[in-house]
């Protein structure tokens, strides 16, 4: 049974390292800011999450203690990483893509990132 826990922890650490490596490679190699935003947020979140789950399993198995710190870090990471990526993407859209260059939404609503205050201030943004 101990070997099974060791294999599980080792697999989670390999997954964590692989996703961290993929995210780092994407951050270095991808061309556009939006592409570079995608690689580390997705891959690194899964990588850090797998490392934290491996830590929880290892501590529970060898010390018979359940630690909530790793689970809380993973939960906050899964909550904050997409929100941070969303705000970075919105800033990128506002700074580098003219509003008229965006395709029509197909509805009566405009793009959600352009709220009423910005439209009233300068329609060419």
């Amino acid at each position: 049974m101990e070997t099974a826990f060791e294999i599980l922890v080792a697999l989670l650490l390999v997954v964590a390292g692989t996703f961290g490596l993929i995210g780092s490679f994407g951050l270095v190699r991808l061309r556009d800011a939006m592409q570079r935003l995608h690689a580390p947020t997705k891959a690194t979140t899964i990588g850090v999450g797998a490392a934290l789950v491996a830590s929880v399993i290892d501590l529970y198995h060898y010390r018979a203690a359940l630690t909530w710190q790793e689970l809380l870090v993973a939960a906050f990471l899964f909550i904050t990483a997409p929100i941070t990526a969303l705000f970075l993407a919105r800033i990128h859209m506002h700074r580098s893509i003219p509003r008229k260059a965006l395709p029509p939404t197909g509805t009566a609503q405009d793009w959600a990132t352009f709220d009423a205050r910005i439209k009233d201030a300068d329609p060419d943004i």
Side-chain angles (χ1 to χ4, degrees):
M1 187 68 178
E2 186 166 324
T3 304
F5 278 107
E6 290 174 353
I7 290 172
L8 179 63
V9 169
L11 284 176
L12 285 170
L13 290 175
V14 168
V15 167
T18 302
F19 275 94
L21 183 65
I22 291 170
S24 301
F25 184 73
L27 185 63
V28 172
R29 292 294 297 169
L30 293 176
R31 296 169 288 158
D32 187 79
M34 294 298 280
Q35 293 174 343
R36 284 194 304 268
L37 177 67
H38 179 75
T41 54
K42 303 296 183 277
T44 308
T45 301
I46 294 172
V48 172
L52 291 171
V53 170
S55 175
V56 167
I57 291 172
D58 188 59
L59 286 174
Y60 181 74
H61 179 68
Y62 288 111
R63 294 186 185 177
L66 188 60
T67 59
W68 293 100
Q69 288 89 359
E70 288 89 354
L71 293 177
L72 287 174
V73 168
F76 286 125
L77 185 68
F78 284 124
I79 292 170
T80 58
I83 293 171
T84 304
L86 172 69
F87 282 113
L88 288 173
R90 289 179 76 175
I91 292 297
H92 174 73
M93 283 182 69
H94 281 279
R95 295 189 74 187
S96 63
I97 302 172
R99 187 169 163 213
K100 291 180 180 177
L102 294 173
T105 60
T107 64
Q109 301 289 327
D110 198 7
W111 283 77
T113 188
F114 295 104
D115 65 356
R117 288 177 291 153
I118 293 174
K119 279 194 283 189
D120 293 340
D122 187 4
D124 292 330
I125 294 176

